[in-house]
Amino acid sequence: MKVALGVTGGIAAYKAAEIVRLLQDRGVRVQVIMTRAAQEFVRPLTFAALSGEKVITGMFAPGEEHTPNIDSAIEHIAVAQSMDALLVAPATADVLAQFAQGIAPDFLTTLYLATTAPVVVAPAMNVNMWNHPATQANLDTLRKRGVKVVEPGSGYLACGMVGQGRLAENEAIVAAVMEALGTSQDLAGETILLTAGPTREKIDPVRYLTNRSSGRMGYAIAEAALRRGARVLLVAGPTNLTPPGAAETTRVESAEEMRNAALNLLPQASIVIKTAAVADYRTKNSAGQKIKRQGPMTLDLEPTPDILKEIAARKQSQTVIGFAAETENVLEHARQKLAAKNLDAIVVNDVSREGVGFDSDRNAVTIITRDEVIEVPETSKWDVAQRVLDIAVKLRARQKTSVEA
Ligand code: CTP
């Protein structure tokens, strides 16, 4: 997802740097647009370095103040079409007036007119400017148009006065943006330990045992959890996917390495989700040299450690959700795993079905908790991820009330 962040000229402009980082932590890309006045307070380079994108600073080519730069004119339409929300923080009284009246002398105000995406504004100004009927009338107009206003807080203002006008807390601004993007922050404060992908068990230096897991289900959960405000500790087996930048990722190969990484991170986690398709067997002794082809051969295998079982045995107050891949007696086997591995929920994949599950973008699952069975018919892995996280939120809330009681 992409958010266009308009920074306008106020003393609070520097606070927008932190907002860029908070949005990125939630997996959101940020395109910063600065008005000319904002550039008097903070240099565009600061935002370019933080956002990793070129900062848009004007509609006009430098030195040609009255000649529209054709590249910029096209750019604002491109930005308007590619962004999922527009946030203005801090928003001056002036930009609010321009938005309300549809006056568009620069890139940001033109973008406001050109976009159909949701708009969030976080005003910051002197208390008298905030209370002025003109400002309040403009805000009313914007609210009626569906613009979300994150109200400023009260306190000492840069001008030396006391009253309402301080930029709202960054977390509140980011929460409003995430809500506008359709993602609530119901996992804020939670740390999710997530395992994903297959594992690889060495036979010799060039061969290994593995399975068809692509890691897509786990990565979808990682991305969705970040957007819902969680901290994500991702333990990833070998996959070709790029982990979300804001996830704290540990790469592993074998079940043994996955076990060690997961158990190490467990004390930090409040929720554990084990999507990984751990190889069930490994060779008893992997060969140090490449095994030569010499007629029939037998591999001597032993089971890998059951990571999930160990986690469930060591868990303190964590909510633990497992996955299960089944090809027959799907629900019955899953219920047995729920009990045997002492889980709070299990997500069952019927991997005998064509086109869903392993190595596909789509999935169809059943989520079983101790008192509920929830069918999730075939849909994208992204949707399945959201449903699994819905259950995690529900189980967490229940766990918290039972601890308090
Ligand atoms: N799992 C694990 N460690 C293993 C094997 C599985 O942590 N060595 C976890 C998986 O990450 C998954 C769950 O256990 O969350 C169920 O995996 P699955 O392969 O369906 O179950 P198994 O316990 O391996 O049982 P079986 O293969 O006999 O069906």
Side-chain angles (χ1 to χ4, degrees):
M1 271 195 237
K2 192 166 175 189
V3 167
L5 167 60
V7 183
T8 68
I11 196 77
Y14 75 95
K15 293 187 182 169
E18 171 78 0
I19 295 176
V20 172
R21 200 186 57 74
L22 290 172
L23 286 169
Q24 286 172 334
D25 282 352
R26 287 158 176 77
V28 176
R29 282 173 56 210
V30 184
Q31 167 69 65
V32 177
I33 298 136
M34 298 182 80
T35 60
R36 182 161 308 167
Q39 295 165 51
E40 301 291 329
F41 291 88
V42 186
R43 305 263 302 145
L45 190 60
T46 305
F47 288 106
L50 284 172
S51 67
E53 310 243 359
K54 186 173 119 232
V55 171
I56 298 174
T57 51
M59 180 85 98
F60 301 104
E64 299 171 55
E65 306 300 298
H66 302 291
T67 317
N69 173 337
I70 189 68
D71 290 341
S72 292
I74 292 168
E75 200 174 8
H76 81 250
I77 299 295
V79 175
Q81 282 170 349
S82 70
M83 74 194 198
D84 300 295
L86 169 62
L87 165 66
V88 184
T92 56
D94 187 41
V95 83
L96 296 174
Q98 289 178 344
F99 280 9
Q101 303 304 318
I103 301 169
D106 63 8
F107 195 98
L108 180 59
T109 45
T110 309
L111 183 63
Y112 168 74
L113 292 181
T115 187
T116 52
V119 179
V120 179
V121 295
M125 63 195 75
N126 159 281
V127 58
N128 291 342
M129 291 171 81
W130 171 254
N131 286 331
H132 198 285
T135 304
Q136 289 302 320
N138 288 332
L139 286 164
D140 276 349
T141 305
L142 293 175
R143 282 195 194 96
K144 283 196 191 109
R145 241 179 246 158
V147 171
K148 167 86 187 150
V149 179
V150 189
E151 299 246 342
S154 293
Y156 280 98
L157 304 177
C159 56
M161 293 175 76
V162 178
Q164 194 174 8
R166 287 168 64 104
L167 185 69
E169 292 299 325
N170 287 341
E171 291 285 353
I173 296 169
V174 169
V177 174
M178 298 311 289
E179 208 178 297
L181 291 171
T183 20
S184 73
Q185 294 292 283
D186 52 3
L187 285 167
E190 303 288 353
T191 299
I192 301 190
L193 169 58
L194 189 63
T195 67
T199 66
R200 216 176 244 182
E201 312 301 328
K202 228 170 124 180
I203 297 172
D204 69 14
V206 295
R207 305 183 180 96
Y208 50 76
L209 294 170
T210 190
N211 56 59
R212 287 175 56 204
S213 167
S214 65
R216 269 180 248 178
M217 190 64 244
Y219 279 50
I221 294 179
E223 182 95 43
L226 287 165
R227 289 200 190 157
R228 289 167 74 157
R231 177 178 172 221
V232 173
L233 311 174
L234 175 64
V235 179
T239 82
N240 293 325
L241 306 176
T242 309
E248 294 160 51
T249 306
T250 311
R251 294 221 179 243
V252 296
E253 288 254 330
S254 65
E256 188 67 34
E257 285 171 19
M258 186 173 274
R259 168 192 176 271
N260 295 342
L263 291 180
N264 251 335
L265 293 167
L266 180 63
Q268 296 181 47
S270 56
I271 299 172
V272 182
I273 306 181
K274 282 226 61 202
T275 55
V278 184
D280 285 316
Y281 288 92
R282 63 183 174 204
T283 52
K284 256 190 178 153
N285 301 300
S286 75
Q289 303 300 327
K290 185 176 171 223
I291 301 169
K292 290 289 175 199
R293 183 161 61 140
Q294 288 164 335
M297 75 169 296
T298 310
L299 283 176
D300 205 359
L301 301 180
E302 64 181 7
T304 54
D306 189 329
I307 306 169
L308 196 48
K309 210 167 169 177
E310 281 192 64
I311 285 179
R314 291 194 196 191
K315 75 172 175 184
Q316 306 275 324
S317 58
Q318 287 96 343
T319 299
V320 182
I321 302 179
F323 271 65
E326 302 291 348
T327 54
E328 56 176 359
N329 299 336
V330 174
L331 291 187
E332 194 189 316
H333 282 157
R335 278 214 179 82
Q336 282 163 7
K337 280 182 196 169
L338 181 77
K341 301 195 186 208
N342 187 23
L343 307 176
D344 297 292
I346 192 154
V347 184
V348 203
N349 274 295
D350 181 348
V351 284
S352 64
R353 293 181 45 183
E354 274 298 310
V356 296
F358 276 138
D359 210 8
S360 158
D361 280 326
R362 299 183 69 74
N363 211 352
V365 301
T366 309
I367 306 172
I368 306 176
T369 68
R370 294 192 177 253
D371 47 26
E372 256 185 310
V373 176
I374 302 140
E375 289 289 342
V376 184
E378 186 185 330
T379 179
S380 65
K381 284 193 171 166
W382 178 253
D383 279 342
V384 174
Q386 299 288 4
R387 298 296 299 275
V388 172
L389 292 174
D390 290 345
I391 297 292
V393 168
K394 204 163 151 187
L395 291 170
R396 238 13 241 148
R398 205 176 298 167
Q399 175 119 25
K400 280 182 192 154
T401 45
S402 73
V403 169
E404 278 157 22

